[in-house]
Amino acid sequence: MQTALRTSLPETELADRANFAPQARIVREERPVQTSGLPLSIRGLRKSFGDNEVLRGIDLHIPVGQFVAIVGKSGCGKSTLLRLVAGLETIDAGSIGFGQDVQPEDIRVMFQEPRLLPWARVLDNVEVGLGRDRASSDAHARAEKALTEVGLVDKRDQWPSVLSGGQKQRVALARALVSRPRVLALDEPLGALDALTRISMQRLLERVWRDQGFTAILVTHDVSEAVALADRVLVIEEGRIAHDVTVNAARPRERGSVELAGLEGSILSHLLSADDRT
Amino acid sequence: MSLIDSVSLPRSFRLPRVDGLIQWIVPLAIIAIWQVASVTGFVPTRVLPAPSDVVLAGWKLLLSGELVRNIWVSFWRASIGFLIGGGIGFAFGLANGLSQLSAKLTDTTLQMVRNVPHLALIPLVILWFGIDESAKLFLVALGVFFPIYLNTLHGIRTVDPQLIEMGRIYGMSDGELFRRVIFPGALPSIFVGIRFALGIMWLTLIVAETIAASSGLGYMAMQAREFMLIDVVVLSILIYALLGKLADSASRVLERLTLSWHPAFQKR
Ligand SMILES: Nc1ncnc2c1ncn2[C@@H]1O[C@H](COP(=O)(O)OP(=O)(O)O)[C@@H](O)[C@H]1O
Ligand SMILES: [Mg+2]
C-alpha cells in the first residue's frame, strides 16, 4: 500500500513563510519574548556511514508549530535524521532549512538519556540550557520558571542522583525549554520510562508544546504514543519517508479512543508489512 | 523512585556512632596484651619494648626537640616531593587525556618508564645527587608521578561522551566544557590516584631516608638501630604509620567535600 508521499507544496510553503517572516523579525530583536516555532524544509537529504546508506533522499516540509512523530524499525535512521536536523552530524547531500537564520538556542534536542551533569544541582543543570545567556542576570529566574513549568521547582537544590527516571527527564525537558527553543527534537525521550510515568510525561509534553508553540519532532518506537501526541506521523522505511499519516483527532485527545486505535492499527500494519518484505 | 535508585547505595558511608567506637577495640586490646606480655617478661624487651617504653622514648625525644625536627623534615620532603611529582603527573594526564597529539607523543614513553621500579633507581640517584635533599625529592616525585598520571588520564578518557556532546549542544566553550564537564567527571578517578600516590609517597620516603639521609624519621630509626635503642626504632615505625593514616584521612575529607554530589557520599 502506498500512501501519497507529501512533497513540499510550493504554495503552502510560501504562505507559511509570508506569515512567518514579519513576526520573526520582531522576535529576533527582543528575545526572550514569547517566540513561535520555525518551519522546517528538508530536501533530498542523504546520509551514509561508510558503506551504510542510512538516509536515501528525505523530502519533508513541516509547517510552523506542527507536532510530527517519526516511527520506523530500529536502525532505519530515525536518530540520524534527528541528529542532522539538530546539526549534530554533517549532511552528505541535500539541505535542511528553517526559513531564516537560526541561533543555536532556537533548536534543542532531548535524548533517551537525561544527560544531566551529576555534579550540578538541578537548577544549575537547567541553567546550562540557556546557552550563551547563562551569564545574564535573569538566568536564575528563567531556570526557576522552566522548572516550575515541569513541576519540579521544589527539587531545585537537589543532586540529580536522588531523582527518579521520570523526574530526571523532566529536568532535561526544562533544560531544553529554558531558552524558548523554536524547534524541539526528541529522540525517544520517554523510551526508558515505565508506562504510567510515560503517560504523565506525554501529557506534560503536549501541554508545553501547546503553551509555547514550538515545532516538535518526536522519534518514538511507540505507535500509540505517536498517534496520541502528533499532528502527523511519518513512517521511515529503507531510508525514505514511506508513509505520511495525518492525525486529525481533536485535542485534548482521549487515549484508546476508537479513532486513535484505528490509526495506530493502520500504521502498525505498514510497519509490519515492511517487516514481512525483508 | 525506581527500584534501582533505592537499592544500590553502598552502606559503608553512613555507619552509626557505636560502630565508630567498635573499630578501636581491637587495637586497644592488642596494646594492652603487648604491655602485659612485656611486663611479665613473656616478650623480652630486647625483641619488642613495652608500649610504655615507646611512649617514654617519644616523650624524651619530644622534649629534646629531635622528634619534632625529624618529623618536620620528613613531612616537608613528603609534601614537596608529592607536589612536584603529582603536579607533573596531573599535567601530563590532562595533556594526554585532552590531546591526541600529546598522547601519541608521550604516552608510550611514559608507560615504558613506568615499568622501572623507582626504588631500583636508588643507587643511581645517590650517584647523581649524593644524599642531598634533591635525591629524596626526586624519588618521591617519581613514585608519586605514575599513579596520578595514570588515574588523571583514565578519568578524563572515561568521562561520559554523551555529557560532552550535551555540553557542546548547549554552546559551552572549550574552557567551560573542561571546567563544568570534563574535570568534575575525572575527579573521582583523580582521587583514586591521589590515595595510591600517598601510600607510595611514604613508602619511598621511608626507604630513601633509611638508606641515604642525615635527618628525618628514617634516619632517626637507623641511628637508633646503631645504638640498639629499640624503643626509638618502634616509635619511628609507629609515627610513619600515623602520618600515613593522617594523609589518607586528609584526602578522604577532601574527597567528601568535593564529591558530595556522588551517590556514594550522600547521607540519607
Ligand atoms: N555515528 C555512526 N557511525 C556509524 N554508523 C552509524 C552511526 N550512527 C548511526 N549509524 C548507523 O546508522 C543506522 C541508523 O541508525 P539510527 O539513526 O541510530 O537508527 P534508529 O534511531 O532509527 O534506530 C544504523 O545502522 C546505525 O548502525
Ligand atoms: Mg535511535
Side-chain angles (χ1 to χ4, degrees), chain A residues 75 78-80 187-188 219:
Chain A
K78 306 182 293 292
S79 298
T80 303
D187 193 354
E188 307 198 19
V219 164

Side-chain angles (χ1 to χ4, degrees), chain B residues 118-140 142 204-214:
Chain B
H118 68 293
L119 292 179
L121 294 179
I122 287 180
L124 194 59
V125 169
I126 293 178
L127 284 179
W128 286 345
F129 300 102
I131 57 166
D132 199 20
E133 281 314 309
S134 35
K136 268 83 72 185
L137 294 185
F138 179 83
L139 284 169
V140 171
L142 191 64
T204 311
L205 198 62
I206 294 165
V207 175
E209 285 187 343
T210 315
I211 295 174
S214 53

Side-chain angles (χ1 to χ4, degrees), chain B residues 49-242:
Chain B
S52 54
D53 290 344
V54 175
V55 172
L56 205 63
W59 180 245
K60 279 190 204 146
L61 286 172
L62 192 66
L63 289 185
S64 75
E66 212 176 318
L67 185 62
V68 175
R69 204 186 66 236
N70 283 317
I71 290 181
W72 173 248
V73 167
S74 293
F75 176 77
W76 182 84
R77 284 175 187 150
S79 322
I80 302 293
F82 184 88
L83 286 180
I84 294 173
I88 299 174
F90 181 66
F92 270 101
L94 285 190
N96 291 359
L98 298 172
S99 149
Q100 287 289 327
L101 180 68
S102 171
K104 276 194 187 132
L105 202 61
T106 59
D107 190 52
T108 313
T109 313
L110 290 173
Q111 298 290 351
M112 264 156 37
V113 178
R114 183 168 74 103
N115 289 316
V116 179
H118 68 293
L119 292 179
L121 294 179
I122 287 180
L124 194 59
V125 169
I126 293 178
L127 284 179
W128 286 345
F129 300 102
I131 57 166
D132 199 20
E133 281 314 309
S134 35
K136 268 83 72 185
L137 294 185
F138 179 83
L139 284 169
V140 171
L142 191 64
V144 157
F145 172 87
F146 285 104
I148 301 232
Y149 167 68
L150 292 173
N151 285 286
T152 304
L153 182 62
H154 176 258
I156 287 180
R157 287 202 173 151
T158 50
V159 172
D160 185 354
Q162 293 188 335
L163 284 185
I164 295 176
E165 188 183 62
M166 184 282 296
R168 290 248 177 259
I169 293 173
Y170 285 105
M172 289 187 189
S173 62
D174 284 352
E176 253 184 315
L177 197 67
F178 177 75
R179 201 162 40 79
R180 304 197 57 170
V181 183
I182 298 174
F183 182 69
L187 205 51
S189 176
I190 294 174
F191 269 110
V192 171
I194 290 179
R195 298 254 294 278
F196 252 108
L198 287 174
I200 292 183
M201 171 184 86
W202 289 118
L203 187 74
T204 311
L205 198 62
I206 294 165
V207 175
E209 285 187 343
T210 315
I211 295 174
S214 53
S215 61
L217 278 170
Y219 171 76
M220 188 172 91
M222 285 316 281
Q223 284 293 101
R225 184 197 58 108
E226 300 221 332
F227 297 105
M228 301 293 279
L229 299 171
I230 195 164
D231 44 2
V232 177
V233 173
V234 173
L235 179 75
S236 311
I237 294 170
L238 290 180
I239 289 175
Y240 266 128
L242 197 70

